């Protein structure tokens, strides 16, 4: 099902919307439940320059895709979200930020079958880049709020998400996921069986600390070997200030550096 007209309650939430990319974007998020932050901004900044068509799986309120649209005036995006309320919220955010002519929202599960995706208007072998921030925390205590729990927990592995992403990417398309560091073995297994040129970027809170997140990128149809990049450090040694280049990315002044050619 396509989502075209956001309800009035979504528009009203825009007055309390969060600012992203140094105020370039104003994005309404649910009062309760999962709220996007640094992970989504980094994911939106991870696209190669000049990407034509983007697919955001499990888009939520649309933060990652909207950041990507703000970075590249030539980009077109399709946002896929299974939760009807979040899909409506994403539609409202797309409209409020002036991207209605470059973005579409589809209410589809990220792990729907190929036939189901086709029936709902999501084609295969189509997108230049597919991004995803899949649900975290396969086990353990779930968040008390149902919406937050649905966004942050999954009963299965990420392989279903990767399978959908690869199916939707074109013959040489790029797939980029951000996830918790503990999920790296699952991600690598799912990526390696379907793609090459796999690049892993660990994300650590401070210098000398273990990574808590990973960005993983692969290219469909590639046979190139895997690369492990130096960690991206979020904060300095002390204090709450963001370290470079994270600060510049959060302000919308820079994209993520994948150390190409290094």
């Amino acid at each position: 099902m396509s989502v075209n007209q956001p309800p009035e309650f979504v528009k009203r939430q825009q007055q309390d919307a969060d600012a992203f990319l140094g105020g370039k974007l104003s994005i309404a998020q649910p009062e309760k439940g999962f709220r996007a932050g640094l992970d989504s901004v980094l994911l939106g900044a991870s696209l190669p320059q000049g990407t034509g068509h983007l697919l955001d799986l499990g888009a939520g309120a649309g933060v990652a895709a909207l950041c990507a649209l703000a970075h590249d005036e030539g980009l077109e995006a399709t946002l896929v979200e299974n939760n009807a309320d979040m899909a409506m919220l994403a539609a409202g955010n797309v409209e409020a930020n002036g991207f209605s002519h470059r973005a579409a929202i589809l209410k589809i599960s990220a792990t729907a079958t190929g036939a189901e995706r086709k029936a709902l208007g999501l084609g295969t072998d189509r997108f230049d880049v597919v991004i995803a921030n899949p649900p975290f925390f396969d086990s353990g205590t779930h968040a008390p709020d149902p919406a937050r729990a649905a966004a942050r927990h999954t009963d299965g592995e990420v392989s279903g998400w990767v399978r959908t992403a690869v199916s939707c990417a074109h013959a040489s398309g790029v797939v980029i996921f951000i996830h918790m560091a503990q999920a790296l073995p699952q991600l690598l297994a799912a990526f390696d069986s379907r793609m090459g040129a796999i690049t892993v970027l660990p994300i650590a809170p401070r210098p000398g600390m273990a990574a808590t997140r990973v960005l993983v990128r692969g290219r469909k149809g590639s046979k190139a070997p895997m690369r492990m990049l130096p960690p991206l450090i979020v904060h300095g040694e002390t204090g709450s200030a963001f370290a470079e280049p994270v600060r510049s990315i959060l302000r919308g002044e820079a994209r993520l550096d994948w150390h190409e050619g290094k």
Side-chain angles (χ1 to χ4, degrees):
M1 173 176 85
S2 296
V3 178
N4 296 315
Q5 295 299 324
E8 289 301 318
F9 85 90
V10 172
K11 297 179 180 179
R12 289 197 300 270
Q13 288 186 48
Q14 293 295 339
Q15 63 186 359
D16 299 319
D18 299 320
F20 284 86
L21 302 188
K24 294 181 178 70
L25 297 173
S26 180
I27 301 178
Q29 301 203 68
E31 294 181 2
K32 297 181 180 180
F34 172 71
R35 297 175 67 86
L38 176 61
D39 289 3
S40 296
V41 176
L42 292 176
L43 189 59
S46 69
L47 276 65
Q49 184 76 34
T51 298
H53 294 87
L54 167 70
L55 174 63
D56 183 359
L57 292 176
V63 174
L66 286 165
C67 287
L69 287 163
H71 279 296
D72 193 335
E73 293 182 355
L75 181 69
E76 295 182 0
T78 299
L79 289 69
V80 167
E81 173 54 47
N82 190 44
N83 181 281
D85 290 338
M86 293 302 289
M88 286 291 187
L89 194 58
N93 287 327
V94 165
E95 179 181 357
N97 286 279
F99 293 129
S100 295
H101 62 298
R102 294 201 279 135
I105 296 87
L106 299 176
K107 184 186 175 299
I108 306 173
S109 170
T111 55
T113 66
E116 290 170 337
R117 296 196 305 271
K118 183 178 180 181
L120 293 168
L122 183 61
T124 59
D125 303 307
R126 172 186 171 190
F127 296 92
D128 299 306
V129 177
V130 182
I131 60 174
N133 182 4
F136 290 2
F137 310 139
D138 284 359
S139 60
T141 302
H142 283 205
D145 180 81
R148 184 176 180 85
R152 306 311 287 173
H153 297 271
T154 177
D155 295 325
E157 297 182 352
V158 297
S159 59
W161 286 67
V162 176
R163 182 170 56 250
T164 296
V166 174
S167 175
C168 291
H170 63 56
S172 58
V174 171
V175 174
I176 306 170
F177 276 43
I178 191 166
H179 214 298
M180 59 183 181
Q182 296 95 311
L184 183 57
Q186 288 180 313
L187 281 169
L188 288 180
F191 271 59
D192 188 53
S193 64
R194 298 175 175 90
M195 292 176 285
I198 297 168
T199 303
V200 179
L201 176 60
I203 304 169
R206 297 186 186 278
M209 295 182 67
T212 56
R213 298 284 191 270
V214 287
L215 270 159
V216 182
R217 184 182 74 172
R219 183 176 292 277
K220 192 172 176 179
S222 175
K223 300 293 185 181
M226 191 187 88
R227 295 190 304 149
M228 177 73 73
L229 300 180
L232 177 69
I233 307 300
V234 176
H235 299 285
E237 295 279 0
T238 60
S240 59
F242 289 102
E244 292 292 351
V246 172
R247 178 167 49 236
S248 293
I249 293 172
L250 287 170
R251 290 175 177 172
E253 299 168 352
R255 292 175 182 249
L256 194 70
D257 183 5
W258 287 99
H259 299 270
E260 303 292 356
K262 298 180 183 179

